[in-house]
Structures are given as C-alpha cells and as structure tokens.
Amino acid sequence: MKVAFFDAKPYDKPSFEKYGKEANVEFVFYEAKLSIETAELAKGCDVVCVFVNDDVNAAVIDKLYSLGVKLIALRSAGYNNVDVKHAFGKIHVVHVPAYSPYAVAEHAVALLLTLVRHIHKAYIRTRDFNFSLSGLTGFDLHGKTVGVIGTGKIGRIFIDICRGFGMNILAYDRFPSQDSDIKYVGLDELQEKSDIISLHCPLMQDTYHLINKESIDKMKKGVIIVNTSRGALIDTEALLDGIKTRKIGGACLDVYEEEANIFFNDFSEHIIDDDTLARLISMPNVIVTSHQAFLTEEALNNTAETTINNILSYFEKDGLCDNELCYRCGNIERCKRDRKERCF
Ligand code: NAI
C-alpha cells in the first residue's frame, strides 16, 4: 500500500513512519500541498493523505481518479476543503473525527487566558527586564458568561473547563444534545448575553461568516471572540471593524479565513501581502496562532494511528470504515451504509 502524503511537515513524519511501518503502509512525503498542479505526484499511489489546507476540489478529484487513487484520507476532523459531493461515486473519503478534542479545547482556553491576563505582553516585558505592571490589568473569568457555538466533542470539553473556572455557560447548536445538562439558547440570545464567544462548529454553507457585521452589532460591548474552529466562520473585515470601533474587546484566533497559503510557513524574512492579517496581528488585543490547536504529541499519535486504521479498513474485504465521510445522497430508505454495504 502506497500513500502520497501532501503538505508534510517535520512533526508529521515520526508518528506516520512508526505506525506505517508496523502496518506495512508506505508513505511518500511531499512538502507541497495537494492542488491541480501537484496532483500528478500521486501517480502510482493508492491513497492520498491530506490536511486542512490541501485543496481537494472537483478538478483535483477527477485528476486523482484518473491516476487510479482509490481513497482520500484526511488527517483532520474538518473536511470543508474536500468536495465530498464530487468525490461520491469516484473516490471514497475518510477522516479522523477525533484525535484529541482536549488539545483543541485546551488551546482555546490557553488563548483566552493569555488575552484576558495579557500574558503575551508580560512575557515580552520581563524578557526585556521591564517589570512594570501598567496596562496589564485583566479580568476574572469567574462569573463571566461564555457562549459556546457547537457542542460536539471539542465544545463540550471547552464547556467543562469553563465550568471549572466558575463561568456561566450558554450554548447554541444546530442539533442540541438531548442528554446533557447544557443550557441551550438561540443564537441571538447567546450573542446578546455572552462576555466571551467561542466557536466549535464546523464550517459549512450555513456557518460561513456566522460572525458578521449584523451578529457583532448584537453582541455586548467588549466581547471576546475565540475561534479555534475554521477561519471562514468569521467575516474578518467585520471583526476588524468591530475591534477598531472598540465593540469587540479582543480576539483569539487559531484559524483565519485566508490562512491557506500563509499558515504553517515561515514568512519571517518576507513582507506579508495580506493587509488584513497584518492589521489583525498589529492589534494589542488580538492573538493569532497558526492553526496549532491540534498540535500535541497525543493528537499526532492518535491522528497517525486512526489514519492508518482508516486506510487498512478501506482495503479490507468488506471495506467498511466507520470514519468514511457519508455524502448524504438522499437515498435514506435504501441507504447502503445502513445495510453495512459500501455506497459505491
Ligand atoms: P463535532 O462534529 O464533534 O462537533 C461539531 C458540533 O457543531 C456538533 O455538535 C454539531 O451539531 C454542531 N453544528 C453543526 N452545524 C452547526 C451550526 N450550523 N450551528 C451550530 N452548531 C452546529 O466536531 P469537533 O470535533 O468538536 O470539532 C469542531 C470543529 O473544530 C471542527 O469542525 C473543526 O473545524 C475544528 N477543529 C480545529 C482544529 C484546530 O487545530 N484548530 C482541530 C480539530 C478540529
């Protein structure tokens, strides 16, 4: 079994090589992202393994199909970068639904604490032997209201951590959990009452620019926005306007809607072209990390193990894999997956 591994970083290789060797799966690592220009690199491979900023659009899928690639193995939970509908009938798609929801929830909390206690400024000050406290006044999280949008695996862990801080929780989910003690409210109420809003829902058509000018208008003055989910959940220009007008008190961003050609790369010796990102980073009350919420030892090992198990189960006799992305073909009554058969 040969797998073309796109957008490979040094931290990916040890875990994939280790688990790959044990399972007799050979990985060919490419630093390039998967795109129509690079798809040819998958020639001779059975599987492509991709991450969040690989662009697996319809043309790329057709090219992979023509090369004989049978499986697209996402090593991420989110799959908004894959045209799953177009892949239906051609190439199967699997993902890693959870590699460490703790990693992402804890990073969201780390960003939030850093921002509200000005740790990012204090760190730089004390390195410069400046021990002044002026301008470092923060606020207690205890007693504040946090609005959590999306109460899946990550959102729930984030809620549990926030409860530990003594915060009040309001939640919104398109599909609220029936068996939990989470207090669900409408999106408007969440936006109006929250001191902090944290996003933990997927990026889909109906969540694109979920945070926009109108929603920001409804929010409390001084609200803090945390996004460790997907960049395009937020209209960045509207966010920037909200920060400039002081409506938004701060933003913690691990993701950015135009991150694809920027994040995961070192531009420290370059002048960055993206004025919006440059402006955001220049704000004292904005913290940007480059999509690193997933980056823990535990998550990397779990990702490699699950991806390899996904690949192995695809090539097994019946080929059914729990982590296959189901393109909802609409054929509910005769759903083959429900009958434990492959869709195509
Ligand atoms: P999950 O699938 O367990 O939970 C997502 C929740 O969002 C579900 O409860 C679902 O009902 C809800 N939801 C769906 N549509 C919604 C809508 N329109 N409005 C409100 N809620 C909606 O997913 P999980 O594992 O909790 O991950 C959440 C997101 O975190 C992923 O979609 C991914 O984009 C992001 N993520 C980011 C990482 C990073 O490194 N920054 C790493 C892993 C995931």
Side-chain angles (χ1 to χ4, degrees):
M1 200 110 47
K2 205 166 164 189
V3 182
F5 190 107
F6 286 89
D7 202 9
K9 300 288 181 224
Y11 49 78
D12 290 318
K13 291 185 187 172
S15 50
F16 274 90
E17 272 172 347
K18 174 176 174 273
Y19 290 104
K21 205 170 168 192
E22 285 167 17
N24 215 6
V25 175
E26 182 193 348
F27 286 95
V28 186
F29 294 98
Y30 295 112
E31 283 179 25
K33 289 193 191 60
L34 178 58
S35 66
I36 194 63
E37 286 80 27
T38 60
E40 186 73 25
L41 292 169
K43 197 172 175 181
C45 291
D46 312 286
V47 183
V48 292
C49 183
V50 297
F51 198 47
V52 292
N53 289 329
D54 290 295
D55 186 7
V56 197
N57 58 33
V60 170
I61 288 166
D62 288 341
K63 177 72 184 173
L64 295 174
Y65 186 53
S66 76
L67 293 172
V69 170
K70 295 173 194 68
L71 184 69
I72 297 166
L74 278 148
R75 51 183 192 279
S76 62
Y79 48 88
N80 52 286
N81 55 326
V82 179
D83 190 338
V84 180
K85 185 173 176 184
H86 192 80
F88 184 74
K90 298 187 181 83
I91 305 184
H92 293 258
V93 185
V94 291
H95 73 146
V96 180
Y99 27 87
S100 172
Y102 300 99
V104 183
E106 288 172 15
H107 191 76
V109 177
L111 289 176
L112 178 59
L113 277 171
T114 303
L115 189 82
V116 302
R117 301 305 301 269
H118 307 293
I119 306 294
H120 53 309
K121 294 180 198 165
Y123 174 77
I124 291 168
R125 276 194 198 179
T126 53
R127 282 175 69 90
D128 206 21
F129 302 104
N130 173 358
F131 301 104
S132 150
L133 293 184
S134 302
L136 298 187
T137 309
F139 63 81
D140 293 3
L141 288 179
H142 180 89
K144 297 293 181 302
T145 298
V146 59
V148 179
I149 302 182
T151 57
K153 292 175 286 298
I154 297 169
R156 281 168 186 238
I157 293 166
F158 181 81
I159 288 174
D160 284 345
I161 298 173
C162 290
R163 281 185 174 146
F165 281 115
M167 302 176 81
N168 308 313
I169 317 289
L170 295 178
Y172 170 77
D173 196 300
R174 180 97 186 266
F175 309 98
S177 162
Q178 307 299 330
D179 60 342
S180 76
D181 55 352
I182 296 170
K183 182 175 179 201
Y184 286 101
V185 294
L187 193 52
D188 280 355
E189 187 178 344
L190 181 144
Q191 287 167 160
E192 284 157 16
K193 293 188 174 164
S194 299
D195 302 297
I196 294 143
I197 295 178
S198 193
L199 305 179
H200 299 287
C201 60
L203 174 63
M204 297 185 300
Q205 254 173 6
D206 65 332
T207 56
Y208 177 77
H209 284 186
L210 183 78
I211 304 293
N212 52 47
K213 187 184 174 323
E214 289 71 39
S215 61
I216 291 169
D217 283 346
K218 291 177 192 152
M219 292 176 193
K220 273 187 171 180
K221 187 168 164 38
V223 63
I224 308 272
I225 296 182
V226 183
N227 188 7
T228 54
S229 208
R230 283 293 180 270
L233 293 174
I234 298 182
D235 176 347
T236 316
E237 293 301 334
L239 179 80
L240 203 47
D241 283 346
I243 292 166
K244 285 199 265 184
T245 58
R246 316 289 195 269
K247 176 78 192 242
I248 294 175
C252 305
L253 309 173
D254 185 50
V255 285
Y256 166 56
E257 58 180 328
E258 301 299 333
E259 72 178 50
N261 293 318
I262 302 174
F263 283 13
F264 309 139
N265 296 306
D266 179 0
F267 286 107
S268 56
E269 299 296 323
H270 297 254
I271 291 167
I272 205 144
D273 284 333
D274 189 324
D275 289 350
T276 307
L277 180 61
R279 188 85 169 97
L280 269 179
I281 289 172
S282 76
M283 297 284 180
N285 53 349
V286 175
I287 298 182
V288 176
T289 51
S290 55
H291 209 136
Q292 77 171 74
F294 71 96
L295 195 62
T296 64
E297 288 284 342
E298 292 80 357
L300 289 174
N301 284 329
N302 290 342
T303 303
E305 205 175 1
T306 308
T307 303
I308 287 160
N309 285 337
N310 286 345
I311 293 170
L312 292 178
S313 56
Y314 173 84
F315 287 99
E316 274 171 7
K317 201 156 53 58
D318 64 7
L320 277 174
C321 171
D322 287 342
N323 296 332
E324 180 163 351
L325 288 172
C326 183
Y327 162 61
R328 293 186 177 79
C329 60
N331 202 352
I332 293 164
E333 277 168 23
R334 293 193 293 134
C335 176
K336 288 185 168 180
R337 278 185 68 80
D338 281 355
R339 299 204 312 254
K340 303 270 179 259
E341 287 174 38
R342 262 194 177 154
C343 298
F344 59 90

